[in-house]
Amino acid sequence: MNILSFEFLAFVAGVVVVFYLLPQRFRWVVLLAASLGFYLCGGWQGTVYLVAVAGFTWMAGKRIGRLRARMEAAEQDGSPELARVLKQRVRVWLTHCLILVLGALVCVKYAEPGREMLNHLLKALRVRAQLNPFTVLVPLGLS
């Protein structure tokens, strides 16, 4: 669905109407469903990518939150060694989450230019092999 089309305008208008008709505690569901519906219009690959990255980020955030709660409890109980270990675990989870999410973004964003560069290098080296195009649609707004 092109964001410069009447179809998109009707979609957004419908989402806004439903959003304001529902109680405030359910509005997040409308926005989530509208986002997923919009991405599904562009193909299932972008939706899978988006759900996977969002799911991993959510899981890591929940885990970091639990670790921080345990860390604060350990500090209050007078156990600085346990608090230090838990702080290290928080850093590990945060680092892994950042590497995975930003790494996926870099791979998707720069795979095609990298492929073209490697094909030019292979051609300059007179190697007959060529890499095929990378055809994954990235959800709108990822940059």
Side-chain angles (χ1 to χ4, degrees):
M1 175 181 340
N2 186 346
I3 63 171
L4 300 176
S5 67
F6 287 114
E7 181 184 37
F8 180 74
L9 185 62
F11 175 75
V12 170
V15 169
V16 169
V17 167
V18 173
F19 179 82
Y20 283 109
L21 286 176
L22 289 177
Q24 194 164 5
R25 68 179 185 267
F26 296 118
R27 289 180 178 176
W28 69 272
V29 176
V30 173
L31 296 178
L32 179 63
S35 291
L36 287 174
F38 178 74
Y39 287 119
L40 280 171
C41 288
W44 63 270
Q45 296 94 341
T47 306
V48 169
Y49 173 80
L50 186 67
V51 168
V53 169
F56 179 76
T57 304
W58 176 80
M59 181 197 66
K62 294 292 277 185
R63 182 68 179 149
I64 289 170
R66 284 194 298 270
L67 286 170
R68 287 188 61 126
R70 287 180 55 200
M71 183 175 69
E72 290 171 7
E75 288 172 349
Q76 289 177 354
D77 292 343
S79 179
E81 184 61 30
L82 179 59
R84 188 183 63 75
V85 169
L86 291 170
K87 188 174 184 177
Q88 287 175 337
R89 288 185 186 171
V90 166
R91 287 182 179 160
V92 167
W93 270 95
L94 182 60
T95 302
H96 285 128
C97 184
L98 284 172
I99 289 170
L100 183 77
V101 171
L102 294 176
L105 179 62
V106 167
C107 286
V108 169
K109 190 169 177 99
Y110 297 110
E112 186 59 24
R115 181 197 68 84
E116 290 176 7
M117 193 180 338
L118 282 173
N119 279 341
H120 286 299
L121 179 64
L122 291 172
K123 188 175 181 180
L125 295 173
R126 299 177 194 256
V127 176
R128 296 185 132 202
Q130 293 288 302
L131 300 172
N132 293 328
F134 186 69
T135 56
V136 173
L137 293 175
V138 180
L140 181 67
L142 293 180
S143 60

